[in-house]
Amino acid sequence: MAQTQHFPVGPFTAVDPVVDRMRAFRSAWHPADGVAVFNRVYLTVTEEIGHAIEAGTFGDRRAAATLDVRFAQRYLAVVEAVGSGARAPACWRPLFHYRRHPGVRPLQFALAGINAHIGHDLALAVVDTCRTLDCSPAELEDEFDRVGDILVLLEERIREELMPGPDLLEVADPLTHLLGCWSLDRARDGAWLAARSLWQLRRLPGLAEEFTERLDRSVGLVGRMLLTPLARP
């Protein structure tokens, strides 16, 4: 996979470069492209977190900005790697594979991207941030929780915007059951546990690599389930 680029981290301007790149993707991709659907969602999330950092919502602006940028860099690195012909990590592979499938609904694309990014990338971003700031995960817990709270609010908004209307979505609709199988809160809790575990394994690189690979595959399996084609092509 492509090497992660490092943007300047500061309390007010740190998120601007990643926001600019996501806006460039939005302009380049067709709106119906599954990765484009997730990108629009994530752009909104990143802009919202950037505004919260500027407004002083986070107690430690530098820690919040660093975590947000390191988190975004992992998604951007995957996009660049796939664009260069490399294979996506297992957690992202279903979204890139099914991105143009006519039987997958926009909400499924959005949630599959969120699943990959939170279930896998967020844990690694916490470790990246700890190394950058020379701190432990425990010292980032407040920033992690506040970012998570913003994600929960935005997930609710995403479901409202992308969920079919009540006349289209019935109790018997497979999408109803599929959405009930995934929870952002559980994904966030899993990411925090994975981050703490990886931090404890940092002096055992072999085990840390195995843990990361297994996390990647397990999150990818959930993503494949979320992208089960439901609409008739």
Side-chain angles (χ1 to χ4, degrees), residues 23-30:
R23 287 174 178 165
F25 294 154
R26 182 181 60 186
S27 300
W29 292 333
H30 190 282

Side-chain angles (χ1 to χ4, degrees), residues 132-169:
T132 299
L133 300 179
D134 192 21
C135 66
S136 68
E139 296 172 83
L140 290 177
E141 189 167 6
D142 287 345
E143 285 66 39
F144 181 94
D145 287 342
R146 287 182 181 274
V147 168
D149 291 342
I150 293 173
L151 291 171
V152 169
L153 292 174
L154 288 171
E155 187 213 15
E156 295 174 359
R157 187 186 308 170
I158 290 160
R159 287 178 182 257
E160 291 175 359
E161 292 177 359
L162 298 179
M163 181 81 77
D167 56 328
L168 299 176
L169 187 63

Side-chain angles (χ1 to χ4, degrees), residues 119-223:
H120 176 265
D121 295 351
L122 183 54
L124 274 62
V126 170
V127 175
D128 291 342
T129 302
C130 288
R131 288 175 173 151
T132 299
L133 300 179
D134 192 21
C135 66
S136 68
E139 296 172 83
L140 290 177
E141 189 167 6
D142 287 345
E143 285 66 39
F144 181 94
D145 287 342
R146 287 182 181 274
V147 168
D149 291 342
I150 293 173
L151 291 171
V152 169
L153 292 174
L154 288 171
E155 187 213 15
E156 295 174 359
R157 187 186 308 170
I158 290 160
R159 287 178 182 257
E160 291 175 359
E161 292 177 359
L162 298 179
M163 181 81 77
D167 56 328
L168 299 176
L169 187 63
E170 301 175 353
V171 173
D173 192 313
L175 183 60
T176 305
H177 299 279
L178 192 64
L179 297 180
C181 296
W182 188 84
S183 162
L184 189 146
D185 281 335
R186 289 196 296 269
R188 185 176 65 169
D189 290 344
W192 182 244
L193 178 60
R196 292 172 58 196
S197 299
L198 282 169
W199 187 249
Q200 293 298 320
L201 292 172
R202 67 190 184 282
R203 295 186 180 88
L204 300 170
L207 286 177
E209 182 178 359
E210 181 180 353
F211 182 94
T212 302
E213 289 177 357
R214 289 179 181 272
L215 178 66
D216 185 24
R217 291 198 299 267
S218 64
V219 172
L221 183 62
V222 174

Side-chain angles (χ1 to χ4, degrees), residues 1-3 76-88 96 99:
M1 191 172 72
Q3 292 294 320
L76 297 174
V78 170
V79 173
E80 291 187 351
V82 173
S84 299
R87 196 180 190 196
F96 281 88
R99 64 190 298 178

